[in-house]
Amino acid sequence: MRMESDPIVPSDQLMSVAVAAARKAGALLQDYAETGFRIEHKNPINLVTDADHAAEQCIIDCIHAHFPSHGILAEERGSATRTDSRYRWIIDPLDGTTNFAHHFPMYAVSIGIEYDEQGQVGVVFDPTRDELFTATAGGGARLNGRPVWVSDTHVLDRALLVTGFAYNIRETPRNNLDHFSRFALRAQGLRRTGSAALDLSYVAMGRFDGFWEIQLSPWDMAGGTLILREAGGMITDLHGNPHSIHQPELVASNGLIHSAMLRVIKDSLFQD
Ligand code: IPD
Ligand code: CA
Ligand code: CA
């Protein structure tokens, strides 16, 4: 049952709370990076730190203070609050935990806000570079307030691509290594940054031309997919069908190299 009392909130109000929460959580992450943090293992290569938990709590507190009726889906805590709201905040408090744990400065806070399961606001904040990526549905994408667009690279030979690997890479043959080796021979360059939220944001502002991954979670994508779409990018599943953040795979690009990326993926799928 949905609550009739959940008032419509203008996007700029949602945005200002999301930005404040992301900046506060980012500052907290930087405090932990300087003063130290505890690491726990979810599996041998999947880490979580007390900084992840503290940043998540900070964001949830901020949402509760402004929008106590809104739903929340947060990585470390799952569904943190009621689910009958038409609004849902989808949070990755620290995207790039392995990088963070190694003091490799490539991680971000990611927040996406849905209304009736449609992305309304996306925020990805990199506290190490003070880079704030933002988008509202229909309102374009921005980096630190300035509009951004995808690149105009139109062939794979000239494209810088990025991907990532899931934490079950040792346990499943569906581990993305097949796609990785094919793209390595087709693209101008191929990177693995360790933060899907930044990968999407970097495609949005043209640092990368394309990104794919096969086992992501909603919180990895909720902020960055809206930012990329609003920057003129294209996102599908591995077969070229419409994408939803509630499915694990995605191909994201500047649009111009999208069908070439899908062809490379199709070739490796065909080998299975
Ligand atoms: C991970 C990062 C990484 C991606 C993994 C994600 P986490 O998120 O986004 O780039 O390859 O699939 O799980 O655990 O650092 O929040
Ligand atoms: Ca993540
Ligand atoms: Ca995370």
Side-chain angles (χ1 to χ4, degrees), residues 196-212:
L198 288 177
D199 295 339
L200 287 162
S201 303
Y202 281 20
V203 178
M205 54 89 68
R207 285 179 186 156
F208 291 132
D209 305 298
F211 167 53
W212 84 95

Side-chain angles (χ1 to χ4, degrees), residues 75 92 94-97 164-167 192 194-196 213 216 220:
E75 177 178 12
D92 192 336
L94 171 46
D95 186 55
T97 296
F165 300 94
Y167 294 112
R192 192 284 200 253
S195 168
E213 205 165 329
L216 290 171
D220 300 313

Side-chain angles (χ1 to χ4, degrees), residues 5-17:
S5 57
D6 219 13
I8 301 278
V9 185
S11 288
D12 59 334
Q13 276 181 39
L14 294 168
M15 176 65 83
S16 73
V17 174

